[in-house]
Amino acid sequence: MQYKAQVNEAIKILGNILEVKKPADRIISFYFKQHRFIGSKDKAIISSLVYAVLRNRATLEFYLNKFKMGLTARKLVIAYLAIHEHKKLPEMTKIFDGDMYAARNLKGTELDLIRDHKNIDPLEMSKAEKLNFPEWLTADLEEAFGDNLATEMMALNQQATTTIRVNMLKTTRAKLKADLKDEDIKTKKTKISPFGLTIEGKNNLFASQCFKKGYFEVQDEGSQILSILANTKPKQKVLDMCCGAGGKLLAMAATMEHKGSLIGTDVNEKRLFETKKRLKRAGISNAMLKVISSENDKYLKRQADRFDTIFVDAPCSGTGTWRRNPDSKWNLESEFVEQLTVTQASILKSASNLVKSGGTIAYATCSVLRKENHDQVEKFLSEHENFELVDISEIYPDLTSEKVLQMSPAKHKCDGFFIALLKRK
Ligand SMILES: C[S@@+](CC[C@H](N)C(=O)[O-])C[C@H]1O[C@@H](n2cnc3c(N)ncnc32)[C@H](O)[C@@H]1O
């Protein structure tokens, strides 16, 4: 496929993303399923252009406004190619030449932008436009990162590395590293997680024999660290209250050596179905899954004072995962975040009745916003005097100087996960 055709396909996909507001990865994979003639190398170039535009959308919109252009997929792509890829008018004219597979010819303000964008002073951009985050989150992100805002936001706007968690129930890190090498997949050991390998280059991991045999799961190093901090052990009774597709449940199960029990609950049946498949592949037999109607489900109420560990991987804004889901930042709404904080507090309250004395609630999010993290924990502690914070800086002094742990791509080279360990006295 010629480059001009790849650009044209990227515009069509981006158009769908702007229109339906569903996760970009789902829209992209649906589009490719419907357009089977697009080869794998073309797919990679098309998706990377789509993601690059999504990552830089606020900056691009700033330029579109300056040239009085409306917001469309085509105009975003034109602005991206001109501003970020420094393509000049002659080259752009060839890409947009209007032939059968290419996008239609450039005209009007599109030509003005390509020719004159260098005359615009970038200092006119707001912080949100320059650093590519939603304007309404400025105060929250400044509160979260202070003087490091620019560094952190730039790191959150980079493509994430792919990390896997070795399934220690079936293999070891050294053996898996060697087995993957035999399949031409090169890896590096992660620095913090003792179970992690970072993948070098791009590979179809899910097609590998090692994956099919359940030797690993794709999991960000930050997420692995959360599971390690939950400190689950053989013979314990563990509840993963917001189990979702089971990333943390699987990691905790691997520490329990098939002894003790794990229960994974979630309000989303589809996600639990995914967990079921993953448990089977990983060879885990001591976990059961249960769909619940809410955090106040009768099933949970019957489990009072029962659990050694409750993992609350709360529904959250996902602001810590913008490296992977840059589209999600543009769909986030402030009312939704406020609603989430109410749900998070309610889930924590319910968990407080289920954990036994001496047991721990691991409260986690993949958010960098204090209102979902530090503030939530402070509120919980002020309302539950029978709980205290376990000081994570004593466990991981290199990772945090606070009692809680807030990770970030700039500081920890992983997603922006948060965790607090709340121990019932
Ligand atoms: C961050 S995701 C969990 C990710 C998962 N733990 C993992 O590691 O793959 C949050 C989950 O909370 C679930 N959820 C939302 N509201 C809930 C509630 N009231 N009670 C329990 N789970 C809830 C969502 O369906 C979603 O699967």
Side-chain angles (χ1 to χ4, degrees):
M1 192 180 257
Q2 289 185 50
Y3 182 62
K4 60 184 181 181
Q6 292 166 341
V7 170
N8 195 25
E9 295 303 322
I11 292 173
K12 289 183 202 163
I13 295 176
L14 204 54
N16 294 347
I17 293 172
L18 295 186
E19 200 181 311
V20 296
K21 287 196 168 185
K22 280 197 183 140
D25 55 350
R26 267 196 251 158
I27 292 176
I28 293 174
S29 75
F30 182 69
Y31 188 90
F32 287 149
K33 264 187 208 146
Q34 287 189 317
H35 297 78
R36 294 207 179 265
F37 64 89
I38 302 177
S40 59
K41 279 192 186 142
D42 296 316
K43 280 183 192 166
I45 294 168
I46 295 165
S47 335
S48 113
L49 177 54
V50 169
Y51 274 106
V53 171
L54 290 170
R55 282 184 209 290
N56 295 293
R57 182 169 154 179
T59 302
L60 299 173
E61 279 191 45
F62 163 82
Y63 281 98
L64 295 190
N65 285 336
K66 283 282 162 202
F67 286 90
K68 310 220 173 327
M69 296 159 80
L71 174 69
T72 65
R74 171 186 166 91
K75 294 191 193 312
L76 284 170
V77 171
I78 292 172
Y80 176 79
L81 295 177
I83 293 155
H84 290 267
E85 294 205 352
H86 313 290
K87 294 197 190 304
K88 305 258 169 3
L89 195 51
E91 193 183 352
M92 290 292 276
T93 310
K94 284 185 193 152
I95 297 169
F96 291 80
D97 71 359
D99 95 355
M100 200 173 150
Y101 299 109
R104 63 191 147 71
N105 298 102
L106 299 162
K107 60 175 187 201
T109 48
E110 296 171 351
L111 295 165
D112 297 341
L113 178 138
I114 297 164
R115 259 190 313 250
D116 301 331
H117 68 86
K118 287 229 164 86
N119 299 336
I120 305 287
D121 184 356
L123 290 176
E124 284 183 37
M125 277 187 241
S126 67
K127 280 184 193 164
E129 286 166 334
K130 187 170 166 224
L131 299 169
N132 285 296
F133 58 79
E135 202 77 52
W136 62 270
L137 269 174
T138 305
D140 291 282
L141 291 170
E142 280 178 337
E143 187 193 19
F145 295 124
D147 293 343
N148 296 326
L149 180 71
T151 320
E152 291 289 356
M153 294 318 298
M154 282 192 272
L156 257 177
N157 213 23
Q158 301 299 311
Q159 211 178 330
T161 48
T162 305
T163 309
I164 58 174
R165 180 184 53 78
V166 182
N167 180 6
M168 306 298 254
L169 294 173
K170 289 197 167 185
T171 186
T172 63
R173 180 153 79 161
K175 182 155 186 324
L176 179 62
K177 190 170 176 26
D179 287 347
L180 285 171
K181 199 171 166 206
D182 288 344
E183 292 197 61
D184 279 333
I185 300 174
K186 286 197 192 131
T187 58
K188 256 204 275 188
K189 287 181 186 172
T190 46
K191 290 216 173 87
I192 309 161
S193 165
F195 317 119
L197 289 170
T198 303
I199 308 295
E200 295 185 349
K202 283 221 178 288
N203 290 285
N204 186 1
L205 288 174
F206 300 118
S208 77
Q209 286 308 309
C210 291
F211 177 73
K212 288 179 184 159
K213 288 180 188 161
Y215 291 173
F216 70 84
E217 283 288 337
V218 174
Q219 188 176 29
D220 182 67
E221 189 178 13
S223 181
Q224 296 182 35
I225 293 164
L226 300 195
S227 315
I228 294 168
L229 277 167
N231 199 22
T232 42
K233 296 191 178 73
K235 296 193 185 157
Q236 283 189 339
K237 218 170 156 23
V238 175
L239 172 67
D240 184 351
M241 228 175 134
C242 307
C243 171
K248 317 284 185 312
L249 182 85
L250 279 125
M252 290 190 288
T255 66
M256 294 175 69
E257 300 164 9
H258 307 292
K259 295 175 202 134
S261 69
L262 286 122
I263 301 175
T265 59
D266 201 288
V267 292
N268 187 318
E269 190 170 5
K270 258 196 196 161
R271 291 191 185 151
L272 285 184
F273 186 67
E274 184 58 28
T275 308
K276 199 172 162 192
K277 287 194 272 178
R278 294 172 88 187
L279 284 170
K280 191 163 175 234
R281 192 170 49 236
I284 293 161
S285 52
N286 59 330
M288 70 156 265
L289 305 172
K290 174 95 185 138
V291 185
I292 50 172
S293 55
S294 77
E295 65 279 11
N296 299 313
D297 192 286
K298 275 191 203 139
Y299 170 78
L300 290 175
K301 288 202 166 135
R302 286 200 296 269
Q303 317 277 334
D305 301 325
R306 265 209 143 122
F307 295 98
D308 298 286
T309 303
I310 300 185
F311 205 103
V312 174
D313 194 8
C316 70
S317 62
T319 42
T321 64
W322 282 350
R323 295 186 307 169
R324 295 172 203 284
N325 313 305
D327 53 306
S328 71
K329 53 183 154 182
W330 312 119
N331 294 337
L332 198 61
E333 284 169 5
S334 102
E335 298 75 28
F336 179 61
V337 177
E338 294 311 321
Q339 256 174 39
L340 282 169
T341 61
V342 175
T343 309
Q344 290 157 354
S346 174
I347 296 176
L348 263 179
K349 187 169 176 224
S350 164
S352 72
N353 296 319
L354 310 180
V355 70
K356 66 179 171 194
S357 177
T360 307
I361 301 173
Y363 173 72
T365 68
C366 50
S367 167
V368 295
L369 306 180
R370 290 185 76 92
K371 58 171 64 143
E372 296 181 88
N373 298 340
H374 300 72
D375 298 356
Q376 204 63 266
V377 169
E378 268 168 36
K379 180 172 175 289
F380 176 82
L381 288 171
S382 71
E383 290 168 1
H384 297 81
E385 284 177 355
N386 55 336
F387 280 83
E388 62 191 0
L389 264 184
V390 176
D391 188 350
I392 299 179
S393 71
E394 285 181 2
I395 309 168
Y396 275 131
D398 293 345
L399 295 190
T400 183
S401 53
E402 296 180 283
K403 285 189 174 180
V404 297
L405 171 61
Q406 174 71 68
M407 287 179 272
S408 73
K411 248 198 203 157
H412 303 90
K413 312 279 174 262
C414 56
D415 288 341
F417 282 105
F418 171 86
I419 186 165
L421 300 173
L422 301 156
K423 190 176 164 113
R424 183 165 165 196
K425 293 179 195 162

